[in-house]
Amino acid sequence: MAGVSLKCGDCGALLRTVEEAQEHAELTSHSNFSESTEPVLNLICTACSKPCRSKTESDLHTKRTGHTEFVDKTSEAVKPISLEAPKVDATASSENPSAAASTDQNEEMVVPEVDKKLLEELESMGFSTARATRALHYSGNAGLESAVNWIVEHENDPDIDQMPLVPTNTKIEAPKPSLTPEELKAKQQELRERARKKKEEEEKRMEREREKERIRIGKELLEAKRIEADNERKRLLALRKAEKEEEKSAREKIKQKLEEDKAERRRRLGLPPEEPSAAKPSPAPVVEEKKSFVPVRPATKAEQMRECLRSLKQNHKEDDARVKRAFQTLLTYVGNVARNPDEEKFRKIRLSNQSFQDRVGSLRGGIEFLENCGFEKIDGGEFLFLPRDKIEMAVLNSAGSELDSAIKNPFFGVL
């Protein structure tokens, strides 16, 4: 059975004629051709006029573009072909021009080849690829001026922005420009100016879009930071509340312990237990007074120590590292005494010591804090000394808690 097409064994392309096979071989260097009974179809896409030679090619076109409708323009009577190049009979052609015309009608429609450099120049001027290709093709690739001249003359054509499709090996003579050089130059300038304005408008639109996006992202970041700050504030307030409750519980325990010690001393002295009514006289009626804005000095040791630390931080708030170092030094002094109450070297501090002055002595509130812990000035104010019999572990523990809170709480002395 004679073949109706030629198939390239290297890439699988279907070719209608020997001439097409020869051209395919020159372009791709493929040489393995054989006759095939698979017909070469002529399926034209109704959306973009793309010709497809086989069902496989049309399916691939559908997958790439989404176009699904094709018109089958394949000739119903496809003649078998041979590998021999056909001989042209000039007599038959002259005698039967209608047959030649029919053959021309069945030729494949392709996009014409144009000058790539001229195409790029026209695209840089703002013309679409289809319009630039059409202008170069119908002006015969004569030059940039000829292509622009063609666009000027045909810019109102309905198919000006459609990609041209012509039969294979078709050549069109370049028409002569109908505009004078001055008119052509003015028209070129007008087209360039129009393309420049269009490009500027597009850049402005893109800049507005980018600015809107930056504003949106900035608002989201500010909102996230605000939520984070609110959560941190709530956490610190809850921590402060828990600390106050712990302090209240510690004061109650100390008060209870003092009552027990007092009762024990009365028992040892042989005194009768103190009557609750006598120990606690009936409270006098509370008279509400107007609140004054005069600061009241703290009553308890813990509050006095906290006030010393707060004053120290506020007086030196511009040097946070120095304040933190002072807190850590005070915590070291208190911790050494609490762990080694019998060691005198931990209970005696030389005020003239340079290291002590740099860390604590030169900061207002540092020495006052140590005095609230029980230290006393001796030898004419040369030393701070804590007598062994005046060490109160409850006071030292309270001092340690206040210092730990001041070190760890970033809002200490601020709220």
Side-chain angles (χ1 to χ4, degrees):
M1 178 179 179
V4 295
S5 64
L6 292 176
K7 184 175 184 180
C8 177
D10 295 323
C11 64
L14 294 176
L15 306 165
R16 182 180 287 110
T17 64
V18 174
E19 286 82 357
E20 290 185 5
Q22 291 174 348
E23 184 179 355
H24 181 75
E26 291 175 359
L27 294 174
T28 62
S29 300
H30 297 168
S31 59
N32 183 16
F33 297 94
S34 61
E35 293 184 359
S36 174
T37 57
E38 183 177 356
V40 179
L41 304 178
N42 188 17
L43 303 177
I44 306 299
C45 177
T46 59
C48 64
S49 302
K50 164 73 176 177
C52 300
R53 292 192 168 196
S54 64
K55 188 65 170 61
T56 302
E57 189 173 349
S58 66
D59 292 342
L60 183 59
H61 180 70
T62 299
K63 184 176 180 181
R64 288 177 177 173
T65 64
H67 302 164
T68 58
E69 296 185 3
F70 296 87
V71 177
D72 190 353
K73 294 185 178 182
T74 307
S75 176
E76 294 182 359
V78 180
K79 295 182 179 180
I81 63 174
S82 65
L83 294 176
E84 296 296 331
K87 296 181 180 179
V88 179
D89 190 349
T91 305
S93 299
S94 61
E95 292 178 355
N96 192 6
S98 62
S102 176
T103 304
D104 292 341
Q105 292 177 357
N106 292 330
E107 288 186 5
E108 181 183 4
M109 303 296 288
V110 296
V111 177
E113 292 289 335
V114 296
D115 190 306
K116 302 294 185 184
K117 186 176 180 180
L118 294 177
L119 179 63
E120 291 178 358
E121 291 182 8
L122 287 172
E123 289 178 343
S124 66
M125 294 173 64
F127 299 114
S128 64
T129 303
R131 182 176 294 199
T133 304
R134 200 176 193 86
L136 289 172
H137 170 66
Y138 287 115
S139 64
N141 291 298
L144 185 63
E145 292 185 0
S146 299
V148 174
N149 183 53
W150 188 93
I151 292 175
V152 171
E153 294 178 351
H154 298 83
E155 63 179 347
N156 295 324
D157 292 354
D159 58 348
I160 185 68
D161 287 316
Q162 295 181 6
M163 188 67 72
L165 295 173
V166 297
T168 308
N169 299 328
T170 297
K171 294 183 180 179
I172 298 179
E173 294 293 333
K176 295 182 179 180
S178 61
L179 298 177
T180 64
E182 292 77 10
E183 292 175 340
L184 179 61
K185 187 174 181 180
K187 197 66 178 179
Q188 289 176 352
Q189 183 63 28
E190 180 185 350
L191 291 173
R192 288 193 183 97
E193 187 66 19
R194 192 186 305 171
R196 183 185 62 79
K197 289 182 178 179
K198 184 178 180 181
K199 186 176 180 181
E200 288 179 354
E201 290 176 358
E202 182 65 18
E203 289 178 351
K204 289 180 180 179
R205 186 186 66 81
M206 294 300 295
E207 182 62 27
R208 286 195 298 269
E209 293 295 329
R210 287 192 292 268
E211 184 63 24
K212 289 180 181 178
E213 184 66 14
R214 285 195 293 268
I215 292 173
R216 184 187 64 80
I217 294 175
K219 288 182 178 179
E220 291 180 355
L221 289 175
L222 288 175
E223 182 64 17
K225 289 182 178 179
R226 186 189 65 78
I227 294 174
E228 183 179 359
D230 288 344
N231 293 337
E232 181 66 15
R233 192 181 301 109
K234 291 177 182 178
R235 187 185 69 83
L236 292 174
L237 290 175
L239 179 63
R240 186 61 180 168
K241 183 178 179 181
E243 290 177 353
K244 288 183 177 180
E245 291 178 353
E246 290 178 0
E247 291 175 3
K248 183 178 179 181
S249 176
R251 286 196 296 270
E252 293 294 333
K253 290 181 180 179
I254 293 173
K255 185 177 180 181
Q256 182 179 359
K257 180 65 176 175
L258 291 175
E259 292 293 336
E260 292 176 355
D261 292 345
K262 185 177 180 180
E264 180 65 19
R265 286 196 298 272
R266 291 180 65 86
R267 186 183 63 79
R268 290 179 179 178
L269 294 173
L271 298 175
E274 187 177 9
E275 295 294 334
S277 57
K280 296 182 181 180
S282 58
V286 179
V287 178
E288 294 185 359
E289 297 180 358
K290 292 184 179 180
K291 293 183 178 180
S292 174
F293 291 96
V294 178
V296 180
R297 202 168 171 79
T300 65
K301 283 283 186 182
E303 291 174 346
Q304 290 176 358
M305 289 186 285
R306 189 182 308 120
E307 184 64 25
C308 288
L309 297 178
R310 186 180 293 110
S311 174
L312 190 152
K313 184 168 184 177
Q314 290 178 351
N315 290 330
H316 305 86
K317 57 184 178 182
E318 72 282 354
D319 194 350
D320 189 63
R322 189 180 181 191
V323 171
K324 188 174 181 180
R325 185 177 64 176
F327 288 168
Q328 291 173 344
T329 303
L330 290 172
L331 183 61
T332 302
Y333 285 141
V334 172
N336 287 339
V337 174
R339 287 188 295 270
N340 307 280
D342 296 325
E343 293 287 342
E344 183 177 341
K345 64 179 181 180
F346 294 127
R347 295 185 283 108
K348 190 173 184 180
I349 302 172
R350 184 186 295 274
L351 293 176
S352 60
N353 183 279
Q354 188 61 40
S355 177
F356 173 79
Q357 285 295 325
D358 292 341
R359 293 172 175 269
V360 177
S362 60
L363 277 70
R364 182 179 176 184
I367 295 178
E368 185 179 357
F369 179 86
L370 291 172
E371 289 176 342
N372 285 325
C373 293
F375 283 86
E376 301 173 353
K377 290 183 179 180
I378 61 173
D379 296 343
E382 184 178 357
F383 292 95
L384 276 177
F385 183 69
L386 178 58
R388 176 66 181 87
D389 57 346
K390 291 187 178 181
I391 293 178
E392 296 183 20
M393 286 300 175
V395 175
L396 295 179
N397 291 336
S398 181
S401 299
E402 294 296 332
L403 286 167
D404 186 65
S405 175
I407 293 172
K408 294 181 179 180
N409 186 358
F411 291 94
F412 181 83
V414 177
L415 299 177

